[in-house]
Amino acid sequence: MSRAILPGATVGVLGSGQLGRMFALAARRMGYRVHTFSPGDDTPMGQVADREAVGDYADLDAVAEFASRVDVVTFEFENVPFEAARTASEHVPVRPRGEVLHTAQHRQREKDFLHGAGFPTAPFEHVPDRATLGGALERLGTPAVLKTAGFGYDGKGQAVIHAPEQAEEAWQSIGAGEAVLEGFVEFEREISVVAARGCDGEFAHYGVTENRHRDHILDVSIPDPDIDPKITANAVEIARGVLEALDVVGVLCVEFFLTHDGELVVNELAPRPHNSGHFSFDACVTSQFEQQLRAVCALPLGDTRRLRPSAMVNLLGDLWDNGMPDWRAALADPSLKLHLYGKADARPGRKMGHMTAFGDDGEDAARRVIAAREALTRRP
Ligand code: AMP
């Protein structure tokens, strides 16, 4: 049995964005100290952490110094270089282990893992260079989606190819680097399962969440959508299998496409709390952030039960286009929960915060939370 890391200890986080911020809030509530390491300062997590270490992930001496001052290291951002996780692991446990990061931060490795372990994926081809794109397109046909192999998120670094003549334009648009070509999935909807695994293999999950995107960025998440319970059970079993196969200690999200025939296709993995699990902060007995803390500190996992039906919307920087959003108008709904991440610069498409609302059921909560977001920019 792993030794528990108890309240009073210090948890180090590689990365410093909103996921780290919400993790830090959960950890501090339980009496832990939290340190963050990233290249930025006055970051969303740094603002609420005990210590904000500023350094480059490639500066392994700085990573080692950071790790030597904490009791365990986790991450909130999967594009941390593997070497940083490996260096940290020479000092303290890193959870999830660096190999999970290594797999999930590169689409080809992730797809090879999923396919090799028997999990359902869209057909895919490795496209290491421009010369291989034509053959890959011939084998997969169109439409197909070309995605950069590394460092993509929120639909960045991807292009849909409808006909072979568009190959060159797509190749240039994703930055002309190593890529993966995927068959286009005609999905009925997108869903995800956020799940956690403890040091001793204990498993917990947050059920299925339906995710509606706008411009490739998550827009609305609704937990417990009205889908066939067999599909929910299947999605949870796939998530359990992924966490076990990768020997994850921590939280991991599996994103799926649900096809019109009720088939599940794994789109991608995120080895950390996920935007689609933010509802759990206010709507569950144990949030995904507390769950990550419990898992990485070798504590028993918490209860994921819902307190009330809920739905979440993201607040992107676009909402600031005509000045500060009208927070008072949204908060006129007394049960609405507002989360802002402390980012000073409201750029279009940037995730600035989110809101969660409650309702009689998920759709009712979604109506309320969307109405609250509309109220933010309604001018007299
Ligand atoms: P990703 O960054 O891979 O999560 O992709 C962002 C979004 O693009 C997804 O949430 C889907 O809406 C869409 N997308 C990505 N891959 C595919 C695919 N193979 N087929 C259809 N839509 C896709």
Side-chain angles (χ1 to χ4, degrees):
M1 195 188 265
S2 302
R3 190 176 58 85
I5 296 164
L6 296 170
T10 303
V11 184
V13 178
L14 298 174
S16 60
Q18 61 266 20
L19 301 176
R21 180 186 182 91
M22 289 183 270
F23 174 82
L25 294 171
R28 292 191 74 155
R29 188 173 67 174
M30 281 175 62
Y32 287 85
R33 291 183 176 276
V34 283
H35 292 186
T36 167
F37 182 97
S38 80
D41 69 352
D42 192 31
T43 57
M45 180 171 174
Q47 291 167 9
V48 300
D50 293 272
R51 175 168 181 248
E52 179 174 54
V54 181
D56 198 297
Y57 298 119
D59 180 352
L60 299 182
D61 290 336
V63 172
E65 194 273 337
F66 174 75
S68 68
R69 293 174 61 172
V70 302
D71 296 292
V72 61
V73 163
T74 188
F75 42 85
E76 63 95 55
F77 167 64
E78 64 266 31
N79 290 334
V80 172
F82 174 59
E83 289 68 29
R86 193 173 47 205
T87 298
S89 72
E90 289 164 9
H91 298 268
V92 285
V94 174
R95 295 174 181 151
R97 61 203 178 93
E99 288 72 15
V100 177
L101 192 81
H102 188 65
T103 302
Q105 69 188 192
H106 188 275
R107 284 191 199 274
Q108 183 64 32
R109 286 198 290 270
E110 184 174 287
K111 290 266 190 283
D112 285 341
F113 155 72
L114 289 165
H115 185 67
F119 298 109
T121 62
F124 62 93
E125 292 278 338
H126 189 201
V127 182
D129 50 38
R130 175 68 181 88
T132 53
L133 179 55
L137 267 173
E138 264 171 40
R139 286 187 293 277
L140 282 187
T142 53
V145 188
L146 187 66
K147 301 181 176 181
T148 52
F151 301 97
Y153 67 99
D154 286 346
K156 292 193 175 60
Q158 63 171 272
V160 180
I161 302 178
H162 296 280
E165 311 78 83
Q166 296 172 341
E168 177 60 22
E169 190 190 332
W171 176 254
Q172 294 303 333
S173 81
I174 66 152
E178 183 187 2
V180 174
L181 186 71
E182 283 177 28
F184 190 87
V185 180
E186 295 287 351
F187 55 82
E188 194 246 314
R189 51 183 135 181
E190 295 187 73
I191 63 172
S192 59
V193 174
V194 173
R197 191 163 168 271
C199 282
D200 300 319
E202 187 187 359
F203 178 77
H205 66 85
Y206 289 86
V208 162
T209 298
E210 176 176 347
N211 303 314
R212 300 180 187 162
H213 293 78
R214 194 192 284 175
D215 298 331
H216 295 287
I217 303 176
L218 182 62
D219 186 37
V220 183
S221 275
I222 308 172
D224 312 314
D226 185 16
I227 55 176
D228 183 343
K230 283 200 217 102
I231 294 172
T232 299
N234 189 8
V236 169
E237 279 319 300
I238 291 172
R240 183 199 302 270
V242 167
L243 274 89
E244 281 177 4
L246 285 173
D247 190 20
V248 170
V249 173
V251 169
L252 181 142
C253 175
V254 183
E255 295 179 39
F256 298 91
F257 300 125
L258 174 61
T259 70
H260 297 277
D261 307 329
E263 297 294 324
L264 287 167
V265 174
V266 177
N267 174 27
E268 61 179 2
L269 309 178
R272 47 164 173 78
H274 188 259
N275 200 165
S276 66
H278 285 2
F279 77 93
S280 67
F281 200 108
D282 300 302
C284 292
V285 175
T286 309
S287 75
Q288 61 170 348
F289 304 101
E290 181 181 330
Q291 201 73 291
Q292 181 186 20
L293 176 77
R294 285 168 171 257
V296 305
C297 289
L299 295 173
L301 298 183
D303 186 350
T304 60
R305 226 170 328 163
R306 281 86 171 104
L307 300 166
R308 288 181 64 188
S310 66
M312 182 225 65
V313 290
N314 272 334
L315 303 176
L316 300 186
D318 313 59
L319 288 168
W320 276 250
D321 278 354
N322 296 311
M324 185 63 82
D326 185 354
W327 305 121
R328 276 178 66 98
L331 293 169
D333 173 349
S335 69
L336 186 104
K337 306 304 281 186
L338 171 66
H339 296 251
L340 290 169
Y341 306 146
K343 299 181 184 179
D345 192 9
R347 292 190 297 274
R350 190 174 194 208
K351 289 177 181 171
M352 302 295 289
H354 72 268
M355 301 195 295
T356 301
F358 303 104
D360 296 333
D361 56 30
E363 289 299 335
D364 182 43
R367 273 191 297 279
R368 287 170 191 259
V369 79
I370 290 168
R373 185 172 61 182
E374 281 166 1
L376 289 175
T377 52
R378 196 175 300 126
R379 301 288 166 203

